[in-house]
Amino acid sequence: MQTIVIAGGGAGGLELATRLGDTLGKSGRARIILVDRSPAHFWKPLLHTVASGKLDPQAHQIDYSAQAAEHGFHFVCGEVEGVDRARAVLQVGPRRAADGSEMQPARAIPYDRLVLAFGAVTNFYGTAGAADHALTLDHVQDAERFRQRFIAACMQASSRPAYTAVNIVIIGGGATGVELAAELSHAVRELARYRVHSLDPDSDVRVRLVERGDRLLPQLNPRLSRRAARHLRSLGVEVCTGSSVARVEADAVHDSDGNCYPSDITLWAAGVEAPRICVRLGLSLNRIRQVVVTPSLQTIDDPRIFALGDCSSHVCPVKGAALPPRAQVAHQQAMFLADLLARERPGELPHFRYRDYGSLVSLGPFAAVGSLAAATGREVLVGGWMARVLYRLMYRKHVLALHGFARMAVQTLAHWIGDKVTPPVRLH
Ligand SMILES: Cc1cc2nc3c(=O)[nH]c(=O)nc-3n(C[C@H](O)[C@H](O)[C@H](O)COP(=O)(O)OP(=O)(O)OC[C@H]3O[C@@H](n4cnc5c(N)ncnc54)[C@H](O)[C@@H]3O)c2cc1C
């Protein structure tokens, strides 16, 4: 029986493990092993709502061990530290408790086929001081850290004899930056309503969004960029485009034109790169460390190793450009590999074809903007409540792939009830 190991249980890796466990694992046709450094999965596109305090990550996390038991795969918790390609063995470090003590020793997991699904991490592009002073949104823990700093900064400022405004600078006007800025504006108003602080939400908390390009959401249609910028300004967010950050300090952000933005909390959301582990694999990488793959998502150096999602570089043959680091790409690649790895007979491998269904960006609890790809190939721009509903469906689609329709429907109802009976912003 062959062993298929999936390294990384994110948007793509967990969907792949679930599908392969259901098709091959349960019937005993293959042994499927998922490895992740965390014990639970969280869908990263929701991180900005954890950072603003709107969403409790506990209610949306999926325990890998429980998912493995239900779907016929095995789960190993630990950090992948390397791959011995000559022996076809994945090296996994020890599993540690919160206090650092070792719960399980380091392990070596033999594989017949290996899928790399490590995702991506923040890319600071070598900007001075950014790694030391800016927060990031790579993991749930990062989002929690941001939330705690955000609430503490608001409370500290309001307890000073003379108010000093709380300055929050978000660097990067892509989807993450825009979504977080909108969520924070709403959270500040909710906190004021709950009298958590006595700051005036309109004047005492300043959220600045700093973007190097001449418009927000550069990957979307310019009309959507203008719409998003208008909406953010109506929420009180200061949108600074054409401002290239040169240095980040503990209490300020400086751009290359000499502008200085005071900052109590700085968040860097201006780009990603593949994690450092990719360098240790001895595989061909691009300039942001992504593993270069063939049209079948096989690494070009080792036919037994595949890579998907943000840690891989797949060049679309139609557009001639690398696919963007998006959940939609990771999902489609996971479904493609689930079929490819379940093939009984060897032969020429099929090629992955990405279908871009469009992009949606949340502008807070009540609005979103985006574009959808119509069947004719035309781009249809959407906004308002309709875009908001479609945006919410993206997450439900992920839950559907992991749990099936009945459980997804029950969970949706449970989350809806949870939203109604819990405060709109988490304080603890
Ligand atoms: C704040 C934010 C908002 C986003 N919003 C959107 C959006 O609206 N729409 C959209 O399409 N995309 C969005 N994205 C991008 C989307 O989340 C990613 O494209 C998608 O999650 C990639 O899936 P993946 O499976 O490649 O990796 P990930 O989902 O990042 O999963 C990687 C997994 O690998 C594990 N891992 C990493 N290194 C190791 C190691 N050494 N050992 C063991 N385990 C390891 C991690 O713990 C993680 O579970 C957003 C991303 C962020 C950060």
Side-chain angles (χ1 to χ4, degrees):
M1 188 166 67
Q2 66 158 331
T3 300
I4 301 173
V5 176
I6 300 153
L14 183 57
E15 288 189 10
L16 176 62
T18 302
R19 178 67 74 96
L20 285 178
D22 285 336
T23 53
L24 303 183
K26 281 183 176 170
S27 59
R29 283 157 60 207
R31 191 172 140 83
I32 313 298
I33 301 176
L34 175 69
V35 183
D36 201 286
R37 59 154 82 97
S38 309
H41 162 80
F42 185 83
W43 199 59
K44 277 168 74 170
L46 293 179
L47 282 178
H48 65 283
T49 54
V50 176
S52 71
K54 182 180 161 197
L55 188 126
D56 180 357
Q58 296 284 346
H60 292 260
Q61 273 176 340
I62 296 172
D63 198 312
Y64 287 120
S65 301
Q67 183 76 0
E70 264 177 53
H71 292 276
F73 66 91
H74 302 264
F75 172 62
V76 172
C77 189
E79 176 103 20
V80 174
E81 294 179 340
V83 179
D84 182 341
R85 282 173 42 211
R87 289 170 51 226
V89 163
L90 186 75
Q91 292 147 343
V92 180
R95 181 177 185 178
R96 295 191 184 281
D99 64 0
S101 59
E102 190 174 301
M103 294 199 291
Q104 283 177 308
R107 283 139 294 171
I109 304 174
Y111 62 83
D112 295 297
R113 284 190 282 182
L114 171 65
V115 182
L116 307 174
F118 293 123
V121 293
T122 297
N123 188 347
F124 294 108
Y125 301 103
T127 308
D132 295 326
H133 301 300
L135 299 177
T136 58
L137 275 189
D138 288 340
H139 309 286
V140 176
Q141 294 87 327
D142 299 333
E144 277 290 284
R145 198 170 306 131
F146 182 95
R147 181 184 68 83
Q148 284 163 10
R149 286 268 303 269
F150 164 56
I151 289 170
C154 290
M155 289 168 84
Q156 282 160 1
S158 66
S159 62
R160 286 180 205 141
Y163 289 169
T164 32
V166 175
N167 289 292
I168 300 171
V169 178
I170 301 170
I171 302 166
T176 302
V178 167
E179 291 183 343
L180 180 64
E183 284 294 339
L184 287 179
S185 305
H186 285 277
V188 168
R189 280 173 179 71
E190 290 295 346
L191 290 172
R193 206 164 65 82
Y194 274 67
R195 298 179 195 278
V196 173
H197 58 64
S198 49
L199 298 172
D200 176 351
D202 291 319
S203 56
D204 295 339
V205 182
R206 274 189 220 131
V207 180
R208 282 197 180 89
L209 185 55
V210 180
E211 161 61 35
R212 186 173 55 172
D214 59 359
R215 63 183 176 100
L216 299 180
L217 303 173
Q219 73 281 22
L220 295 189
N221 186 301
R223 277 166 61 191
L224 297 175
S225 303
R226 286 196 291 274
R227 204 159 160 175
R230 257 200 320 272
H231 189 87
L232 288 181
R233 287 193 177 108
S234 76
L235 295 174
V237 175
E238 194 178 318
V239 177
C240 312
T241 49
S243 176
S244 177
V245 170
R247 194 169 79 252
V248 180
E249 291 173 354
D251 55 2
V253 171
H254 300 264
D255 76 7
S256 50
D257 292 332
N259 296 311
C260 171
Y261 307 109
S263 181
D264 296 290
I265 309 174
T266 305
L267 183 115
W268 188 277
V272 294
E273 61 187 349
R276 293 205 170 275
I277 175 66
C278 292
V279 180
R280 274 182 260 148
L281 307 177
L283 299 168
S284 302
L285 309 178
N286 68 6
R287 70 190 161 76
I288 55 165
R289 296 201 290 255
Q290 289 170 314
V291 178
V292 180
V293 292
T294 68
S296 305
L297 307 188
Q298 224 166 12
T299 59
I300 56 175
D301 313 279
D302 190 332
R304 286 173 305 181
I305 304 183
F306 296 77
L308 65 73
D310 290 3
C311 76
S312 69
S313 169
H314 176 271
V315 176
C316 170
V318 182
K319 293 189 179 165
L323 295 180
R326 287 213 205 129
Q328 196 186 155
V329 174
H331 164 77
Q332 290 183 29
Q333 292 185 332
M335 294 303 107
F336 169 82
L337 280 183
D339 289 340
L340 185 150
L341 295 170
R343 283 157 64 105
E344 296 283 336
R345 270 174 293 154
E348 205 184 319
L349 296 180
H351 287 186
F352 171 71
R353 296 238 181 287
Y354 174 59
R355 174 136 191 235
D356 189 351
Y357 291 98
S359 302
L360 292 158
V361 178
S362 164
L363 296 176
F366 312 111
V369 287
S371 60
L372 303 178
T376 54
R378 273 190 52 233
E379 183 188 41
V380 180
L381 305 188
V382 285
W385 67 267
M386 188 177 143
R388 183 71 211 165
V389 171
L390 293 170
Y391 178 84
R392 282 178 169 240
L393 286 179
M394 281 185 345
Y395 174 50
R396 297 297 156 199
K397 201 172 160 210
H398 176 61
V399 179
L400 179 71
L402 296 178
H403 294 319
F405 182 78
R407 187 136 162 221
M408 184 274 288
V410 174
Q411 259 199 14
T412 305
L413 184 65
H415 289 149
W416 183 78
I417 294 170
D419 283 352
K420 299 282 163 224
V421 297
T422 49
V425 180
R426 269 180 71 233
L427 299 173
H428 308 288

